[in-house]
Amino acid sequence: MVTPRPASAPGHRTAPAGPTVRTVLGDLAPDRLGVCDAHDHLFLSSPQLPGQELADTAAAGAELHAFRAAGGTAVIQWTPYGMGRHAAELPRLARESGVTIVAATGLHQAAHYGPGVLEGLPTDPAALFVTELTEGIGAITGDDPEPRPRAGMIKVAGGFHGLDRHARRTMTAAAEAHRATGAAIGIHLELGTGALDVLDLLCGELAVPPDRVILGHLNRSPDPAVHRMAAEAGAYLAFDGPSRANHGTDWRMPDAVAALCDAGFADRILLGGDTTTAAARAVNGGPGMRYLLRRLRPRLELAVGTAAVTRMLTTNPARAFAAEWP
């Protein structure tokens, strides 16, 4: 069992009482999160996306300013360990843009790492996750101008219609880190599949409360029965990402969201943009982070009403990402 050290993060904002959202500038009362992109990336690098790295700090800042101009106030960056998070840049970007940023710890699928990265990890990565959640991301150096930003969530990944050995290892570590910190666990579902297998493992075998699990990419597999079963289990369902080739995407999302709302599960839905390539940035002609608010929000409002969509963008993420941190 991993036990976190007592958290004293000099330089971070004093935490309010009760559950808080852990941002790169400190802990924040959930009701201050505002309009939230619940799954996106400011920085990302993967062997699976050669030449499309999100590594340009100026472009990341431009995305945040465009998102802010569209009415957004918070972004949850799901980029985990070893994938070019640029964590040291996040506090400055948050201050300059006025957008709250939450960083992630965790691990993606093995295919997203170059040679030697995973081999250099401890046998049980739970200790790494806890350290990044409670003490900070990155190495401590004597000339750091400010404390290391802490992660505010755990991101792990399933496989296509199943869980391989790597997925089970990382989810087991995520469950242990959750027990030590209370952090929410976000799941990359490959093409939106395997949601029920993930819940069987995390919430069944590993006893993670379902309301601490966020299932990502459900818009990529618009299966209403699976959506309904996952919502009934108590998990959060993230519909995240603009239109992609070969996916059931934006044009089916309003129907999927409406079906969940009609069944009484509007409080389980999160919305995000999931920008993963340089070409997808607005500064490069792509949809960018602002697409969530400029294009998806009005389409969803036609389907389920303004009040429900506002709840998905504000109340739901505030509750989903808040934790009673140690």
Side-chain angles (χ1 to χ4, degrees), residues 108-111 157-171 201:
H108 207 328
Q109 297 163 334
F160 185 55
H161 286 291
L163 303 176
D164 61 14
R165 182 178 179 181
H166 175 79
R168 294 187 67 88
R169 176 194 178 212
T170 57
M171 289 185 192
L201 174 61

Side-chain angles (χ1 to χ4, degrees), residues 248-265:
T249 51
D250 296 2
W251 62 279
R252 300 189 70 172
M253 188 190 297
D255 289 342
V257 168
L260 286 167
C261 290
D262 289 345
F265 296 113

Side-chain angles (χ1 to χ4, degrees), residues 263-286:
F265 296 113
D267 63 341
R268 298 288 94 194
I269 300 171
L270 303 177
L271 303 173
D274 192 33
T275 306
T276 58
T277 65
R281 287 201 196 274
V283 294
N284 295 324

